Amino acid sequence: MNPAALAAVQSRLGHEFTRPELLIEALTHPSFLNENPGAGPHNQRLEFLGDAVLQLILTTELFTRFPADAEGELSRRRAILANGRCLAALARELGLDQALRLGGSENTPEGRDRSSNLEDAFEAVLGALLLDSGMETTRARVLALYGSFDARLAARLGADNPKGRLQEHVQPQYGTACLRYETVQSGGADHAKEYTSRVYLADRLLGEGRGSAKKLAEEAAARVALETLPR
């Protein structure tokens, strides 16, 4: 573990761990243990805990901040703030990409920047933070990391629905059933799956994208299509 990277994460998080082994566990990808079987547990249990903690914090905060919103709108806001791209961005802001313990084919610049690795690590750090400091400190640090909810939501409300924006773009001319998504490739280990999807307008290929889930690959393909279609 790089001590400088570990210190940088704690500085950006605004919390110095009294049990640093929890932070080390949170930053240990399963692939690292394939080459270092005695290096302690990987981060999947902490990721499980952190995911639940994050959902509770976001749910409570959105419920308080948007008293007029119905359940469906609150769920949509939470999904935007808790999706993989948002969590990966927060992980990069914390410097988790530089601090991850990776092994094998994951220990590359691409592996360090892989959204699925960063998302899991971010949630694992929250689980570690809960165990080290309790719920109130964890809530305060999470809200500080997100900053303005309104700004994060405004920045992502449009960007996080590329399939919907693409449908709106082509529907007036081509109708409602004109788009077709096709998964053309999938591979990788269970912890690092990658899918390739294409979007077609009738039989015309509009874009191709990749992601750690079929949905993310389809959204990436839709973004490519939006960039290439005439406005």
Side-chain angles (χ1 to χ4, degrees), residues 144-158:
L145 289 172
Y146 272 90
S148 168
F149 269 33
D150 290 340
R152 293 241 181 218
L153 286 166
R156 294 182 177 274
L157 275 170

Side-chain angles (χ1 to χ4, degrees), residues 26 39 44 78 107 122 124 140 146 158 160 164 190 195:
Q44 296 301 289
R78 184 180 62 191
N107 193 17
F122 180 80
Y146 272 90
D160 276 35
D190 289 342
Y195 297 84

Side-chain angles (χ1 to χ4, degrees), residues 2-230:
N2 184 336
L6 206 62
V9 168
Q10 293 178 93
S11 175
R12 293 172 183 174
L13 184 60
H15 176 78
E16 184 174 351
F17 278 76
T18 59
R19 297 168 59 192
E21 66 273 14
L22 285 171
L23 180 57
I24 293 172
E25 179 180 339
L27 295 171
T28 301
H29 188 269
S31 63
F32 185 80
L33 299 186
N34 294 334
E35 300 174 357
N36 304 274
H42 58 63
N43 62 8
Q44 296 301 289
R45 279 176 54 85
L46 285 176
E47 182 269 332
F48 171 78
L49 177 60
D51 173 64
V53 171
L54 179 62
Q55 292 294 319
L56 177 59
I57 292 171
L58 292 178
T59 299
T60 304
E61 192 67 16
L62 290 168
F63 184 87
T64 303
R65 291 194 186 200
F66 301 97
D69 279 1
E71 176 189 0
E73 182 61 24
L74 291 172
S75 295
R76 187 168 76 104
R77 294 182 189 274
R78 184 180 62 191
I80 290 170
L81 294 171
N83 72 19
R85 286 185 298 279
C86 186
L87 299 190
L90 288 166
R92 293 184 186 98
E93 292 171 19
L94 275 178
L96 301 190
D97 51 334
Q98 299 303 312
L100 277 172
R101 295 207 294 178
L102 300 167
S105 61
E106 290 300 302
N107 193 17
T108 63
E110 292 78 14
R112 291 193 174 279
D113 197 51
R114 198 183 309 282
S115 291
S116 58
N117 293 344
L118 293 171
E119 177 187 356
D120 287 354
F122 180 80
E123 291 179 332
V125 167
L126 298 189
L129 182 59
L130 177 73
L131 296 179
D132 195 67
S133 65
M135 189 63 184
E136 285 308 308
T137 296
T138 303
R139 177 181 177 276
R141 298 322 309 149
V142 166
L143 296 182
L145 289 172
Y146 272 90
S148 168
F149 269 33
D150 290 340
R152 293 241 181 218
L153 286 166
R156 294 182 177 274
L157 275 170
D160 276 35
N161 188 21
K163 293 176 68 175
R165 289 189 289 126
L166 180 60
Q167 181 70 39
E168 291 175 1
H169 186 83
V170 302
Q171 184 171 318
Q173 183 175 356
Y174 297 99
T176 58
C178 55
L179 292 175
R180 174 171 59 89
Y181 290 87
E182 179 181 343
T183 300
V184 295
Q185 187 175 350
S186 64
D190 289 342
H191 63 270
K193 284 285 188 183
E194 184 171 81
Y195 297 84
T196 301
S197 293
R198 293 173 179 169
V199 58
Y200 294 88
L201 178 61
D203 293 325
R204 174 188 168 194
L205 176 63
L206 295 183
E208 180 178 292
R210 295 175 178 81
S212 57
K214 289 182 181 179
K215 177 177 181 292
L216 297 179
E218 289 177 356
E219 289 177 348
R223 287 192 190 90
V224 173
L226 285 165
E227 292 170 0
T228 57
L229 283 172

